[in-house]
């Protein structure tokens, strides 16, 4: 199975692009969504996160996101420790998911694909970009957050330039119709590459 990594900075519009690939019949695995589900379902993860963050890590059996976000915001070492607990489980879940797919290729959407070395497990990588100002405006509209918090997250992520250097495809996600055209073009290019591999 051909695995195509889909990444981009916060607010770049990865989910919008992922939906376009899904509309073309390509299975899409949203790593962040699956991570959230596993953090609420997996007894092992729950136990380890409670040990890391304390008893307030979960309220009524659900992850206490504001509490954990506040700890991570003040001490980045907690983010690395949390990722070390959650990411291996997500990776195993993805491997099982891939085996069930019948499409020519699959998309794995990961916010911090390069930062975690996940790009090494992909055949191709697509990076979604958008101007910083546009990304901040989108996030302020979408989330109950501040520009300061958005900037702090951006600082923890690789720059677009760093990602583009290591990507086979780039999508500039500013205007929806143009984004759709770019997705279709990349989809067709990947299909050609898949066919070459089959012969």
């Amino acid at each position: 199975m051909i695995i195509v990594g889909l990444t981009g900075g916060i607010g770049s519009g990865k989910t919008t692009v992922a939906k376009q690939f899904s509309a073309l019949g390509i299975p899409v695995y949203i790593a962040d969504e699956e991570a959230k589900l596993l953090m609420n379902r997996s007894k092992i993860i729950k136990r380890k996160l409670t040990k890391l963050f304390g008893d307030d890590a979960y309220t009524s059996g659900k992850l206490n996101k504001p509490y954990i976000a506040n700890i991570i915001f003040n001490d980045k070492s907690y983010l690395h420790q949390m990722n070390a607990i959650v990411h291996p489980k997500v990776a195993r879940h993805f491997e099982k998911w891939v085996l069930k797919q019948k499409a020519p290729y699959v998309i794995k959407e990961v916010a911090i694909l390069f930062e975690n070395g996940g790009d090494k497990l992909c055949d191709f990588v697509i990076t979604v970009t958008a101007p910083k100002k546009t990304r901040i405006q989108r996030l302020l509209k979408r989330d109950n957050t501040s520009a300061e918090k958005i900037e702090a997250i951006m600082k923890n992520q690789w720059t677009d330039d760093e990602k583009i250097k290591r990507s086979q495809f780039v999508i500039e996600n500013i205007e929806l119709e143009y984004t759709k055209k770019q997705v279709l073009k990349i989809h067709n290019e990947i299909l050609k590459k898949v066919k070459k591999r089959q012969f």
Side-chain angles (χ1 to χ4, degrees):
M1 176 63 75
I2 300 289
I3 296 166
V4 180
L6 176 66
T7 194
I10 186 171
S12 60
K14 294 180 296 297
T15 305
T16 299
V17 171
K19 282 176 183 171
Q20 315 255 331
F21 278 101
S22 190
L24 293 169
I26 299 303
V28 177
Y29 185 94
I30 311 283
D32 286 353
E33 291 299 319
E34 295 302 334
K36 283 172 194 169
L37 290 171
L38 285 169
M39 282 190 274
N40 283 318
R41 288 177 186 166
S42 167
K43 287 177 184 175
I44 296 167
I45 290 176
K46 277 187 173 186
R47 192 170 67 243
K48 287 182 177 178
L49 289 181
T50 302
K51 190 179 176 184
L52 177 63
F53 292 108
D55 292 337
D56 290 332
Y58 286 85
T59 52
S60 307
K62 295 284 179 189
L63 192 71
N64 187 347
K65 288 183 206 169
Y67 168 77
I68 287 173
N70 188 51
I71 291 172
I72 287 169
F73 187 71
N74 291 304
D75 186 348
K76 297 295 176 286
S77 69
Y78 278 98
L79 178 62
H80 299 301
Q81 290 177 77
M82 184 174 81
N83 287 345
I85 292 166
V86 179
H87 287 167
K89 284 275 186 188
V90 175
R92 279 195 289 277
H93 185 267
F94 173 70
E95 285 167 13
K96 289 177 185 173
W97 176 85
V98 167
L99 295 173
K100 297 173 189 171
Q101 308 310 317
K102 302 282 185 256
Y105 69 94
V106 297
I107 293 275
K108 185 181 186 183
E109 191 227 274
V110 188
I112 49 173
L113 182 74
F114 291 110
E115 292 87 336
N116 290 329
D119 58 305
K120 295 178 182 73
L121 303 172
C122 299
D123 296 280
F124 308 107
V125 175
I126 302 166
T127 288
V128 183
T129 69
K132 188 178 176 182
K133 190 178 175 183
T134 304
R135 290 163 58 195
I136 290 170
Q137 283 170 349
R138 283 174 183 165
L139 292 162
L140 288 172
K141 205 178 285 184
R142 188 189 78 186
D143 303 335
N144 180 22
T145 188
S146 64
E148 183 200 11
K149 284 188 177 176
I150 295 166
E151 295 259 12
I153 294 167
M154 285 179 171
K155 279 176 188 171
N156 278 329
Q157 296 182 341
W158 282 23
T159 65
D160 282 352
D161 287 344
E162 286 174 301
K163 288 172 186 164
I164 288 166
K165 279 177 200 167
R166 299 193 185 198
S167 303
Q168 286 71 43
F169 304 101
V170 179
I171 292 174
E172 189 182 40
N173 181 35
I174 300 168
E175 196 271 314
L176 190 60
E177 285 308 310
Y178 180 53
T179 298
K180 284 182 182 176
K181 285 177 185 174
Q182 292 174 87
V183 167
L184 186 58
K185 187 183 175 199
I186 290 168
H187 171 67
N188 289 327
E189 282 187 42
I190 292 170
L191 289 181
K192 282 179 196 170
K193 290 176 187 291
V194 170
K195 279 181 184 175
K196 278 184 185 176
R197 288 193 179 195
Q198 287 172 346
F199 290 104

